[in-house]
Amino acid sequence: QQQVKQSPQSLIVQKGGISIINCAYENTAFDYFPWYQQFPGKGPALLIAIRPDVSEKKEGRFTISFNKSAKQFSLHIMDSQPGDSATYFCAASRDGSARQLTFGSGTQLTVLP
Amino acid sequence: EAQVTQNPRYLITVTGKKLTVTCSQNMNHEYMSWYRQDPGLGLRQIYYSMNVEVTDKGDVPEGYKVSRKEKRNFPLILESPSPNQTSLYFCASSLDWGLMNTEAFFGQGTRLTVV
């Protein structure tokens, strides 16, 4: 049983469009929610992260929206570029750190030129 | 260059033949861990280590062993590999000091096939 459910499994977006990836969790003990980006043949790399005391965090074209009551969080990529084509994983942990991350199943994003 | 190095990158082996995947980090990180990545399941933690000689089970530890004799190295050992351990494996490390452990640095992965 997956504790962090991620959707969609794959996403195709035109260049300049908005990419939205959603995650939902059950465990209310989770208190740290990072997103990782993985390019083919590479390991995941931290993209952006949020803690439940804020509802939104923005870094450049990437924004995390967090809804604590609904136990959902999402990644928005504005002005999507072909270079953003990668697999994106949401994750959650219980102790506010990157020690024991529970990952979602991943979303393969393709941005068409 | 700060990095986590795994070897080998690719490995094909036969059922029951013991193997070791090495992992080394040059960032003086206290915390290291192993994950396996499978389609539709994301990454799942196998084992982790909070420092030298301190290791503990993650979510899917069955069939794996680890050791942490030095701070920089964290090898993953499969004593008797089985086909269901065919997967993509990642080693990760992170600074574990106070509240600073917020980013896991991943190696490039080891694709293991057990036939």
Side-chain angles (χ1 to χ4, degrees), chain A residues 17-97:
Chain A
I18 302 173
S19 304
I20 301 175
I21 303 170
N22 300 299
C23 285
Y25 63 96
E26 291 295 325
N27 191 341
T28 55
F30 286 146
D31 61 359
Y32 177 64
F33 303 90
W35 285 87
Y36 280 77
Q37 179 188 55
Q38 183 181 31
F39 293 104
K42 302 292 187 183
L46 180 66
L47 184 63
I48 187 172
I50 197 168
R51 298 189 187 277
D53 53 345
V54 296
S55 60
E56 185 175 283
K57 183 174 182 180
K58 184 176 181 180
E59 291 184 2
R61 296 185 293 110
F62 301 91
T63 300
I64 299 179
S65 297
F66 184 79
N67 186 329
K68 189 173 182 179
S69 60
K71 292 185 286 186
Q72 294 176 347
F73 58 110
S74 59
L75 175 69
H76 295 235
I77 306 175
M78 310 300 288
D79 187 26
S80 299
Q81 299 296 313
D84 297 330
S85 297
T87 300
Y88 292 81
F89 293 96
C90 61
S93 72
R94 289 187 292 272
D95 64 354
S97 79

Coordinates of all heavy atoms in Angstrom, one line a residue, chain A residues 17-97:
Chain A
G17 N 3.5 25.9 -21.6 CA 2.4 25.6 -20.8 C 2.7 25.3 -19.4 O 3.8 25.4 -18.9
I18 N 1.6 25.0 -18.6 CA 1.8 24.7 -17.2 C 1.7 23.2 -17.0 O 0.7 22.6 -17.4 CB 0.7 25.5 -16.4 CG1 0.7 27.0 -16.6 CG2 0.8 25.2 -14.9 CD1 -0.4 27.7 -16.0
S19 N 2.6 22.7 -16.2 CA 2.6 21.3 -15.9 C 2.2 21.2 -14.4 O 2.7 21.9 -13.6 CB 4.0 20.7 -16.0 OG 4.5 20.8 -17.4
I20 N 1.2 20.3 -14.1 CA 0.7 20.1 -12.8 C 0.8 18.7 -12.4 O 0.2 17.8 -13.1 CB -0.7 20.7 -12.6 CG1 -0.8 22.1 -13.0 CG2 -1.2 20.5 -11.2 CD1 -2.2 22.7 -13.0
I21 N 1.4 18.4 -11.3 CA 1.5 17.0 -10.8 C 1.0 17.0 -9.4 O 1.4 17.9 -8.6 CB 3.0 16.5 -10.8 CG1 3.6 16.6 -12.2 CG2 3.1 15.1 -10.3 CD1 5.1 16.4 -12.3
N22 N 0.2 16.0 -9.1 CA -0.5 16.0 -7.8 C -0.1 14.8 -6.9 O 0.2 13.7 -7.4 CB -2.0 15.9 -8.0 CG -2.5 17.1 -8.8 OD1 -2.4 18.2 -8.3 ND2 -3.1 16.8 -9.9
C23 N 0.0 15.0 -5.6 CA 0.3 14.0 -4.7 C -0.7 14.0 -3.5 O -1.1 15.1 -3.1 CB 1.7 14.0 -4.2 SG 2.9 13.4 -5.4
A24 N -1.0 12.9 -3.0 CA -1.9 12.8 -1.8 C -1.3 11.8 -0.8 O -0.7 10.8 -1.2 CB -3.3 12.3 -2.2
Y25 N -1.4 12.1 0.5 CA -0.9 11.2 1.5 C -1.9 10.9 2.6 O -2.9 11.6 2.7 CB 0.4 11.9 2.1 CG 0.1 13.2 2.8 CD1 -0.1 13.2 4.2 CD2 0.1 14.4 2.1 CE1 -0.3 14.4 4.9 CE2 -0.2 15.6 2.8 CZ -0.4 15.6 4.2 OH -0.6 16.8 4.8
E26 N -1.7 9.8 3.3 CA -2.6 9.4 4.3 C -2.0 9.7 5.7 O -2.8 10.1 6.6 CB -2.9 7.9 4.2 CG -3.7 7.6 3.0 CD -5.1 8.2 3.1 OE1 -5.7 8.2 4.2 OE2 -5.6 8.6 2.0
N27 N -0.7 9.6 5.9 CA -0.1 9.6 7.2 C 0.0 11.1 7.7 O 0.8 11.9 7.1 CB 1.3 9.0 7.1 CG 1.9 8.8 8.5 OD1 1.5 9.4 9.5 ND2 2.8 7.9 8.6
T28 N -0.8 11.5 8.7 CA -0.7 12.9 9.2 C 0.5 13.2 9.9 O 0.8 14.3 10.3 CB -1.9 13.1 10.1 OG1 -2.0 12.1 11.1 CG2 -3.3 13.0 9.3
A29 N 1.4 12.2 10.1 CA 2.7 12.4 10.8 C 3.7 13.0 9.8 O 4.7 13.5 10.2 CB 3.2 11.2 11.4
F30 N 3.4 12.9 8.5 CA 4.4 13.5 7.6 C 4.5 15.0 7.8 O 3.4 15.7 7.9 CB 3.9 13.2 6.1 CG 4.1 11.8 5.7 CD1 3.2 11.2 4.8 CD2 5.2 11.0 6.1 CE1 3.3 9.9 4.4 CE2 5.4 9.7 5.7 CZ 4.4 9.1 4.8
D31 N 5.7 15.5 7.8 CA 5.9 16.9 8.0 C 6.9 17.6 7.1 O 7.4 18.7 7.4 CB 6.1 17.2 9.5 CG 7.4 16.6 10.0 OD1 8.1 15.9 9.2 OD2 7.7 16.7 11.1
Y32 N 7.3 16.9 6.1 CA 8.3 17.5 5.2 C 8.0 16.9 3.8 O 7.9 15.6 3.7 CB 9.7 17.1 5.6 CG 10.8 17.6 4.7 CD1 11.0 19.0 4.5 CD2 11.7 16.7 4.1 CE1 12.0 19.4 3.6 CE2 12.6 17.1 3.2 CZ 12.8 18.5 3.0 OH 13.8 18.9 2.2
F33 N 7.9 17.7 2.8 CA 7.4 17.3 1.5 C 8.3 17.8 0.4 O 8.1 18.9 -0.1 CB 5.9 17.8 1.3 CG 5.0 17.3 2.4 CD1 4.8 18.0 3.5 CD2 4.3 16.1 2.2 CE1 3.9 17.6 4.5 CE2 3.5 15.6 3.2 CZ 3.3 16.4 4.4
P34 N 9.3 17.1 0.0 CA 10.1 17.5 -1.1 C 9.7 16.9 -2.5 O 9.0 15.9 -2.5 CB 11.5 16.9 -0.7 CG 11.1 15.6 0.0 CD 9.8 15.9 0.7
W35 N 10.1 17.6 -3.5 CA 10.0 17.1 -4.9 C 11.4 16.8 -5.5 O 12.2 17.7 -5.3 CB 9.2 18.1 -5.8 CG 7.8 18.1 -5.5 CD1 7.1 18.9 -4.6 CD2 6.7 17.4 -6.2 NE1 5.8 18.7 -4.6 CE2 5.5 17.7 -5.6 CE3 6.7 16.4 -7.2 CZ2 4.3 17.2 -6.0 CZ3 5.5 15.9 -7.7 CH2 4.3 16.3 -7.1
Y36 N 11.5 15.7 -6.1 CA 12.8 15.3 -6.7 C 12.6 15.2 -8.2 O 11.5 14.8 -8.7 CB 13.3 14.0 -6.2 CG 14.0 14.2 -4.8 CD1 13.3 14.3 -3.7 CD2 15.4 14.2 -4.8 CE1 14.0 14.5 -2.4 CE2 16.1 14.4 -3.6 CZ 15.4 14.6 -2.4 OH 16.0 14.8 -1.2
Q37 N 13.6 15.6 -9.0 CA 13.6 15.6 -10.4 C 14.7 14.6 -10.9 O 15.8 14.6 -10.4 CB 13.9 17.0 -11.0 CG 14.0 17.1 -12.5 CD 14.5 18.5 -12.9 OE1 15.6 18.9 -12.5 NE2 13.7 19.2 -13.7
Q38 N 14.3 13.7 -11.8 CA 15.3 12.7 -12.3 C 15.3 12.7 -13.8 O 14.3 12.4 -14.4 CB 14.8 11.3 -11.7 CG 15.8 10.2 -12.1 CD 15.4 8.8 -11.6 OE1 14.2 8.5 -11.5 NE2 16.3 7.9 -11.3
F39 N 16.5 12.9 -14.3 CA 16.8 12.8 -15.7 C 17.2 11.3 -16.1 O 17.8 10.7 -15.2 CB 17.8 13.8 -16.2 CG 17.3 15.2 -16.1 CD1 17.7 16.0 -15.1 CD2 16.4 15.7 -17.0 CE1 17.3 17.3 -15.0 CE2 15.9 17.0 -16.9 CZ 16.4 17.8 -15.9
P40 N 17.0 10.9 -17.3 CA 17.4 9.5 -17.7 C 18.8 9.2 -17.4 O 19.7 10.0 -17.7 CB 17.1 9.5 -19.2 CG 16.0 10.5 -19.4 CD 16.3 11.6 -18.4
G41 N 19.1 8.1 -16.7 CA 20.5 7.7 -16.4 C 21.1 8.4 -15.2 O 22.3 8.2 -14.9
K42 N 20.3 9.2 -14.5 CA 20.8 10.0 -13.4 C 20.0 9.6 -12.1 O 18.9 9.1 -12.2 CB 20.7 11.5 -13.7 CG 21.4 11.9 -14.9 CD 22.9 11.8 -14.7 CE 23.6 12.5 -15.9 NZ 25.1 12.3 -15.8
G43 N 20.6 10.0 -11.0 CA 19.8 9.8 -9.8 C 18.9 11.0 -9.5 O 19.1 12.1 -10.2
P44 N 17.9 10.8 -8.7 CA 17.0 12.0 -8.4 C 17.8 13.1 -7.7 O 18.8 12.9 -7.0 CB 16.0 11.4 -7.4 CG 16.1 9.9 -7.6 CD 17.5 9.6 -8.0
A45 N 17.3 14.3 -8.0 CA 17.9 15.5 -7.4 C 16.8 16.4 -6.8 O 15.8 16.6 -7.4 CB 18.8 16.3 -8.4
L46 N 17.1 17.0 -5.6 CA 16.1 17.8 -5.0 C 15.7 19.0 -5.8 O 16.6 19.7 -6.3 CB 16.6 18.3 -3.6 CG 15.6 19.2 -2.8 CD1 14.4 18.4 -2.4 CD2 16.3 19.7 -1.6
L47 N 14.5 19.2 -6.0 CA 14.0 20.4 -6.8 C 13.5 21.5 -5.9 O 13.9 22.6 -6.0 CB 12.9 19.9 -7.8 CG 12.3 20.9 -8.8 CD1 13.3 21.3 -9.8 CD2 11.1 20.2 -9.5
I48 N 12.6 21.2 -5.1 CA 11.9 22.1 -4.2 C 11.2 21.4 -3.1 O 10.9 20.2 -3.2 CB 10.9 23.0 -5.0 CG1 10.4 24.1 -4.1 CG2 9.8 22.2 -5.6 CD1 9.5 25.1 -4.9
A49 N 11.1 22.0 -1.9 CA 10.5 21.3 -0.8 C 9.7 22.3 0.1 O 9.9 23.5 0.0 CB 11.6 20.6 0.1
I50 N 8.7 21.7 0.8 CA 7.8 22.5 1.6 C 7.5 21.9 2.9 O 7.6 20.6 3.0 CB 6.5 22.8 0.9 CG1 5.7 24.0 1.5 CG2 5.6 21.6 0.8 CD1 4.6 24.5 0.6
R51 N 7.3 22.7 4.0 CA 6.9 22.2 5.3 C 5.4 22.6 5.5 O 4.9 23.6 4.9 CB 7.7 22.7 6.4 CG 9.2 22.3 6.2 CD 10.0 22.6 7.4 NE 11.4 22.4 7.2 CZ 12.0 21.2 7.3 NH1 11.3 20.1 7.7 NH2 13.3 21.0 7.1
P52 N 4.6 21.9 6.3 CA 3.2 22.1 6.4 C 2.8 23.4 7.0 O 1.6 23.7 7.1 CB 2.7 20.9 7.2 CG 3.9 20.4 7.9 CD 5.1 20.7 7.1
D53 N 3.7 24.2 7.5 CA 3.3 25.5 8.1 C 3.1 26.6 7.1 O 2.7 27.7 7.4 CB 4.4 25.9 9.1 CG 5.8 26.0 8.5 OD1 6.0 25.4 7.5 OD2 6.6 26.6 9.2
V54 N 3.3 26.3 5.8 CA 3.0 27.2 4.7 C 2.2 26.5 3.6 O 2.2 25.3 3.5 CB 4.3 27.8 4.1 CG1 5.1 28.6 5.1 CG2 5.2 26.7 3.5
S55 N 1.4 27.3 2.9 CA 0.5 26.7 1.9 C 1.1 26.8 0.5 O 0.6 26.1 -0.4 CB -0.8 27.4 1.9 OG -0.6 28.8 1.6
E56 N 2.2 27.6 0.3 CA 2.8 27.6 -1.0 C 4.2 28.1 -0.9 O 4.6 28.8 -0.1 CB 2.0 28.7 -1.9 CG 2.4 28.8 -3.3 CD 1.6 29.7 -4.1 OE1 0.4 29.3 -4.5 OE2 2.0 30.9 -4.4
K57 N 5.0 27.5 -1.8 CA 6.4 27.9 -1.9 C 6.8 28.0 -3.4 O 6.5 27.1 -4.1 CB 7.3 26.9 -1.2 CG 8.8 27.3 -1.2 CD 9.6 26.4 -0.4 CE 11.1 26.8 -0.3 NZ 11.9 25.9 0.5
K58 N 7.5 29.0 -3.7 CA 7.8 29.3 -5.1 C 9.3 29.5 -5.3 O 9.9 30.2 -4.5 CB 7.1 30.5 -5.7 CG 7.3 30.8 -7.1 CD 6.4 32.0 -7.6 CE 6.6 32.3 -9.0 NZ 5.8 33.4 -9.5
E59 N 9.9 28.8 -6.3 CA 11.3 29.0 -6.6 C 11.4 29.0 -8.1 O 11.3 28.0 -8.8 CB 12.1 27.8 -6.0 CG 12.3 27.9 -4.5 CD 13.2 26.8 -4.0 OE1 13.8 26.0 -4.8 OE2 13.3 26.7 -2.7
G60 N 11.5 30.2 -8.6 CA 11.6 30.4 -10.1 C 10.3 30.0 -10.7 O 9.2 30.4 -10.4
R61 N 10.4 29.0 -11.7 CA 9.1 28.6 -12.4 C 8.4 27.5 -11.6 O 7.4 27.0 -12.1 CB 9.5 28.1 -13.8 CG 10.1 29.2 -14.7 CD 10.4 28.7 -16.1 NE 11.4 27.7 -16.1 CZ 11.3 26.4 -16.4 NH1 10.1 26.0 -16.6 NH2 12.3 25.6 -16.4
F62 N 9.0 27.0 -10.5 CA 8.4 25.9 -9.8 C 7.7 26.3 -8.5 O 8.3 27.1 -7.8 CB 9.6 24.9 -9.4 CG 10.3 24.3 -10.7 CD1 11.4 25.0 -11.1 CD2 9.9 23.2 -11.3 CE1 12.1 24.5 -12.3 CE2 10.5 22.7 -12.4 CZ 11.6 23.4 -12.9
T63 N 6.5 25.8 -8.3 CA 5.7 26.2 -7.2 C 5.1 24.9 -6.6 O 4.6 24.1 -7.3 CB 4.6 27.1 -7.5 OG1 5.1 28.3 -8.1 CG2 3.7 27.5 -6.3
I64 N 5.2 24.8 -5.2 CA 4.5 23.8 -4.5 C 3.3 24.4 -3.9 O 3.4 25.4 -3.2 CB 5.4 23.1 -3.4 CG1 6.6 22.5 -4.0 CG2 4.6 22.0 -2.7 CD1 7.5 21.8 -2.9
S65 N 2.2 23.8 -4.1 CA 1.0 24.2 -3.3 C 0.6 23.1 -2.3 O 0.7 21.9 -2.7 CB -0.2 24.4 -4.3 OG 0.0 25.4 -5.2
F66 N 0.3 23.4 -1.1 CA 0.1 22.4 0.0 C -1.2 22.7 0.6 O -1.5 23.8 1.0 CB 1.3 22.5 1.0 CG 1.2 21.5 2.0 CD1 1.6 20.2 1.8 CD2 0.7 21.8 3.3 CE1 1.6 19.2 2.8 CE2 0.6 20.8 4.3 CZ 1.1 19.6 4.0
N67 N -2.0 21.6 0.7 CA -3.3 21.7 1.4 C -3.4 20.7 2.5 O -3.6 19.5 2.3 CB -4.5 21.4 0.4 CG -5.8 21.6 1.0 OD1 -6.1 21.4 2.2 ND2 -6.8 22.0 0.1
K68 N -3.1 21.2 3.7 CA -3.0 20.3 4.9 C -4.3 19.6 5.2 O -4.3 18.4 5.5 CB -2.5 21.1 6.1 CG -2.1 20.2 7.3 CD -1.5 21.1 8.4 CE -1.1 20.2 9.5 NZ -0.4 21.0 10.6
S69 N -5.4 20.2 5.1 CA -6.7 19.6 5.5 C -7.0 18.5 4.5 O -7.6 17.5 4.9 CB -7.8 20.7 5.6 OG -7.9 21.3 4.3
A70 N -6.7 18.7 3.2 CA -7.0 17.7 2.2 C -5.9 16.6 2.1 O -6.1 15.6 1.4 CB -7.2 18.3 0.9
K71 N -4.8 16.9 2.8 CA -3.6 16.0 2.7 C -3.2 15.8 1.3 O -3.0 14.7 0.8 CB -3.9 14.7 3.4 CG -4.1 14.8 4.9 CD -4.2 13.5 5.6 CE -5.6 12.9 5.4 NZ -5.8 11.6 6.1
Q72 N -3.0 17.0 0.6 CA -2.6 16.9 -0.8 C -1.6 18.0 -1.0 O -1.6 19.1 -0.4 CB -3.8 17.2 -1.7 CG -4.9 16.1 -1.7 CD -6.1 16.4 -2.5 OE1 -6.2 17.5 -2.9 NE2 -6.9 15.4 -2.8
F73 N -0.7 17.8 -2.0 CA 0.3 18.8 -2.4 C 0.6 18.6 -3.9 O 0.4 17.5 -4.4 CB 1.6 18.8 -1.5 CG 2.3 17.5 -1.5 CD1 3.6 17.4 -2.1 CD2 1.9 16.4 -0.8 CE1 4.3 16.3 -2.1 CE2 2.6 15.2 -0.8 CZ 3.8 15.2 -1.4
S74 N 0.9 19.7 -4.5 CA 1.1 19.6 -5.9 C 2.3 20.4 -6.4 O 2.7 21.4 -5.7 CB -0.2 20.0 -6.7 OG -0.5 21.4 -6.3
L75 N 2.8 20.1 -7.5 CA 3.9 20.8 -8.1 C 3.4 21.4 -9.4 O 2.8 20.8 -10.3 CB 5.1 19.8 -8.5 CG 6.3 20.5 -9.2 CD1 7.0 21.4 -8.3 CD2 7.2 19.4 -9.8
H76 N 3.6 22.7 -9.5 CA 3.3 23.5 -10.7 C 4.6 24.0 -11.4 O 5.4 24.6 -10.7 CB 2.4 24.7 -10.4 CG 1.1 24.3 -9.8 ND1 -0.1 24.7 -10.3 CD2 0.7 23.6 -8.7 CE1 -1.1 24.2 -9.6 NE2 -0.6 23.5 -8.6
I77 N 4.7 23.6 -12.7 CA 5.8 24.2 -13.4 C 5.3 25.1 -14.5 O 4.5 24.8 -15.4 CB 6.6 23.0 -14.2 CG1 7.0 21.9 -13.2 CG2 7.8 23.6 -14.9 CD1 7.6 20.7 -13.8
M78 N 5.6 26.4 -14.3 CA 5.1 27.4 -15.2 C 6.0 27.6 -16.4 O 7.2 27.3 -16.3 CB 5.1 28.8 -14.4 CG 4.3 28.7 -13.1 SD 2.6 28.2 -13.2 CE 2.0 29.7 -13.9
D79 N 5.5 28.0 -17.5 CA 6.3 28.2 -18.7 C 7.2 27.0 -18.9 O 8.4 27.1 -19.1 CB 7.1 29.5 -18.5 CG 7.9 29.8 -19.8 OD1 7.4 29.5 -20.9 OD2 8.9 30.5 -19.7
S80 N 6.6 25.8 -19.0 CA 7.3 24.6 -19.1 C 8.2 24.6 -20.4 O 7.8 25.1 -21.4 CB 6.4 23.4 -19.2 OG 5.6 23.3 -18.0
Q81 N 9.5 24.0 -20.2 CA 10.5 24.0 -21.3 C 10.8 22.6 -21.6 O 10.8 21.7 -20.7 CB 11.7 24.8 -20.8 CG 11.4 26.3 -20.5 CD 11.0 27.0 -21.7 OE1 11.6 26.9 -22.8 NE2 9.9 27.8 -21.6
P82 N 11.3 22.3 -22.8 CA 11.8 21.0 -23.1 C 12.8 20.4 -22.2 O 12.8 19.2 -21.9 CB 12.3 21.1 -24.6 CG 11.5 22.3 -25.1 CD 11.3 23.2 -24.0
G83 N 13.6 21.3 -21.6 CA 14.6 20.9 -20.6 C 14.0 20.4 -19.3 O 14.7 19.8 -18.5
D84 N 12.7 20.7 -19.1 CA 12.1 20.2 -17.9 C 11.6 18.7 -18.1 O 11.1 18.1 -17.1 CB 10.8 21.0 -17.6 CG 11.2 22.5 -17.3 OD1 12.3 22.7 -16.8 OD2 10.3 23.4 -17.6
S85 N 11.7 18.2 -19.3 CA 11.3 16.8 -19.5 C 12.2 15.9 -18.6 O 13.4 15.8 -18.7 CB 11.5 16.4 -21.0 OG 10.7 17.2 -21.8
A86 N 11.5 15.2 -17.7 CA 12.2 14.3 -16.7 C 11.1 13.6 -16.0 O 9.9 13.8 -16.2 CB 13.0 15.2 -15.8
T87 N 11.5 12.7 -15.0 CA 10.6 12.1 -14.1 C 10.6 12.9 -12.8 O 11.6 13.2 -12.3 CB 10.9 10.6 -13.9 OG1 10.9 9.9 -15.2 CG2 9.9 10.0 -13.0
Y88 N 9.4 13.1 -12.3 CA 9.3 13.9 -11.1 C 8.7 13.0 -10.0 O 7.7 12.3 -10.2 CB 8.4 15.1 -11.3 CG 9.1 16.1 -12.2 CD1 9.0 16.0 -13.6 CD2 9.7 17.2 -11.6 CE1 9.7 16.9 -14.4 CE2 10.4 18.1 -12.5 CZ 10.3 18.0 -13.8 OH 11.0 18.9 -14.7
F89 N 9.3 13.0 -8.8 CA 8.8 12.3 -7.7 C 8.4 13.2 -6.5 O 9.2 14.0 -6.2 CB 9.9 11.3 -7.2 CG 10.2 10.2 -8.1 CD1 11.3 10.3 -9.0 CD2 9.5 9.0 -8.1 CE1 11.7 9.3 -9.8 CE2 9.8 8.0 -9.0 CZ 10.9 8.1 -9.8
C90 N 7.3 13.0 -6.0 CA 7.0 13.7 -4.7 C 7.4 12.7 -3.6 O 7.6 11.5 -3.8 CB 5.5 14.0 -4.6 SG 4.4 12.6 -4.6
A91 N 7.6 13.3 -2.4 CA 8.0 12.5 -1.3 C 7.5 13.1 0.0 O 7.1 14.3 0.0 CB 9.6 12.3 -1.3
A92 N 7.6 12.3 1.0 CA 7.2 12.8 2.4 C 8.1 12.1 3.4 O 8.5 11.0 3.2 CB 5.7 12.6 2.6
S93 N 8.3 12.8 4.5 CA 9.0 12.2 5.6 C 8.3 12.6 7.0 O 7.6 13.6 7.0 CB 10.4 12.5 5.6 OG 10.6 13.8 6.0
R94 N 8.6 11.8 8.0 CA 7.9 12.0 9.3 C 8.7 12.8 10.3 O 8.2 13.3 11.3 CB 7.7 10.6 9.9 CG 6.6 9.8 9.2 CD 6.3 8.6 10.1 NE 7.4 7.7 10.1 CZ 7.6 6.7 9.1 NH1 6.8 6.6 8.1 NH2 8.7 5.9 9.2
D95 N 10.0 13.1 10.0 CA 10.7 13.8 11.0 C 11.3 15.1 10.5 O 12.3 15.6 11.1 CB 11.9 12.9 11.6 CG 12.9 12.6 10.5 OD1 12.7 12.9 9.3 OD2 13.9 11.9 10.8
G96 N 10.7 15.6 9.5 CA 11.1 16.9 9.0 C 12.4 16.9 8.3 O 13.0 18.0 8.0
S97 N 12.9 15.7 7.9 CA 14.2 15.7 7.3 C 14.2 14.8 6.1 O 13.1 14.2 5.7 CB 15.2 15.1 8.3 OG 15.1 13.7 8.3

